[in-house]
Amino acid sequence: MADPGLVPVPSGLGGTGSARTRSGVARARWAARSWWLCAAMWTRSTMSYRASFAMMLAANLVIAFLDFAVIILMFRHTDTLGGWNLPELGFLYGTSGFALGMANLLIGSIDALGERIRTGTLDVMLIRPAPALAQLCAERFSLRRIGRPVQAAAVLAWSLAALDVRWTWDRVLLVPVLLLCGTAIFGAIWVGFACLQFWWGEAEELQNSFTYGGGLMLQYPPTVFAKDLVLGVVFGVPLAFVNWLPALRVLGRPDPLGLPTAFQYASPVAAALCVAAAGVAWRAGLRAYRGTGS
């Protein structure tokens, strides 16, 4: 079943690269606009109950800060963890939490894909004049989820002020790059594993293990984990490119795997590959989907 949100290419230009490029840009713009319109609708609905929104946002911020409080408590009994000090762990915590929080804010609602497949309500999205993926990602958009990335950004700002680092141009540039690429990587993992629900309806927990579980793992230095696990998140599911590998360059830490220095700058490449793989998985899932038959 084709996605009705696609913009057709004029028949006379279908074979040219420039036409494909224009079509791809048009599809991307339409998907972004569709997501924005859906998210704005849900935000207006949420803000009708502003007191409830404020209380939920405050609760999210408090719960998020309690996560970092656990790390602070650990450092009351030790000066380092895996050879990393508290500001360095704050850097890992802030970058991981921000990337995961932004991905959850922007597309976390795709968790509902499995339920829509089981109930047949995905069919409704497929016949609407908007990309189904954009609709799924924006469905029940909740602005209160911004509490997690705001809290992570506060921890990151504190860590950057407390770090004893010689800031060169590449280290300064790596910080915003890894935040952007980390968000893209988590988002692609969210979409890619959600697509497993087209074939395996109970894949949501597997998806959560790589998103929420991966975010928790990246809050701690790679030196506290077995090398086989670190290799798995470099060459398997590329979570290491969210913050571990670029953090080695930013913080001047040695690589426990002895990988080439280029890996520390490869987050954009990893993000692009993850997004492409997620797109392939989404297309394959739509082709495999047969609806409810009603």
Side-chain angles (χ1 to χ4, degrees):
M1 186 176 294
D3 189 338
L6 297 182
V7 177
V9 179
S11 58
L13 299 175
T16 66
S18 61
R20 294 193 191 97
T21 300
R22 287 196 297 271
S23 177
V25 171
R27 287 197 298 267
R29 287 178 176 174
W30 176 230
R33 177 168 171 76
S34 299
W35 180 93
W36 175 261
L37 291 173
C38 291
M41 176 189 68
W42 285 105
T43 301
R44 286 194 298 271
S45 174
T46 300
M47 296 308 291
S48 299
Y49 305 92
R50 296 188 180 184
S52 175
F53 167 76
M55 288 187 291
M56 292 299 295
L57 178 60
N60 281 352
L61 284 169
V62 171
I63 293 172
F65 273 108
L66 288 177
D67 287 345
F68 191 62
V70 172
I71 296 177
I72 294 175
L73 288 175
M74 285 194 299
F75 275 85
R76 291 179 62 89
H77 304 283
T78 182
D79 294 328
T80 62
L81 181 65
W84 295 50
N85 59 34
L86 182 57
E88 291 171 332
L89 254 70
F91 182 84
L92 293 180
Y93 179 96
T95 51
S96 170
F98 182 88
L100 178 63
M102 287 302 297
N104 186 28
L105 173 69
L106 297 174
I107 67 168
S109 297
I110 201 172
D111 286 343
L113 175 60
E115 180 65 23
R116 283 196 168 273
I117 292 172
R118 288 190 292 272
T119 59
T121 54
L122 180 62
D123 295 13
V124 177
M125 289 188 167
L126 292 174
I127 63 175
R128 289 174 181 165
L133 182 58
Q135 295 180 66
L136 278 168
C137 291
E139 185 184 26
R140 299 192 179 278
F141 177 82
S142 180
L143 195 58
R144 63 181 174 81
R145 293 177 183 170
I146 202 172
R148 169 67 70 175
V150 167
Q151 178 265 352
V155 174
L156 177 60
W158 167 80
S159 71
L160 291 174
L163 285 170
D164 183 18
V165 172
R166 179 175 172 269
W167 289 103
T168 56
W169 69 269
D170 60 326
R171 285 172 171 162
V172 172
L173 185 60
L174 267 176
V175 175
V177 168
L178 73 88
L179 293 176
L180 179 62
C181 294
T183 300
I185 290 171
F186 269 125
I189 290 173
W190 230 303
V191 172
F193 279 96
C195 290
L196 290 177
Q197 296 176 88
F198 281 110
W199 299 276
W200 179 22
E202 303 300 325
E204 186 175 348
E205 292 304 319
L206 177 64
Q207 169 191 325
N208 290 340
S209 68
F210 283 97
T211 51
Y212 296 112
L216 180 61
M217 179 182 67
L218 295 178
Q219 294 175 8
Y220 298 93
T223 50
V224 305
F225 298 100
K227 285 191 175 182
D228 289 342
L229 177 60
V230 180
L231 283 169
V233 295
V234 173
F235 299 104
V237 180
L239 288 168
F241 293 92
V242 172
N243 65 352
W244 273 358
L245 289 171
L248 295 176
R249 172 56 187 161
V250 173
L251 303 177
R253 284 283 178 179
D255 187 343
L257 297 179
L259 297 172
T261 305
F263 276 74
Q264 300 172 12
Y265 298 93
S267 293
V269 176
L273 291 175
C274 286
V275 170
V280 170
W282 173 252
R283 291 293 183 190
L286 280 186
R287 285 195 296 269
Y289 180 66
R290 293 295 178 264
T292 59
S294 61

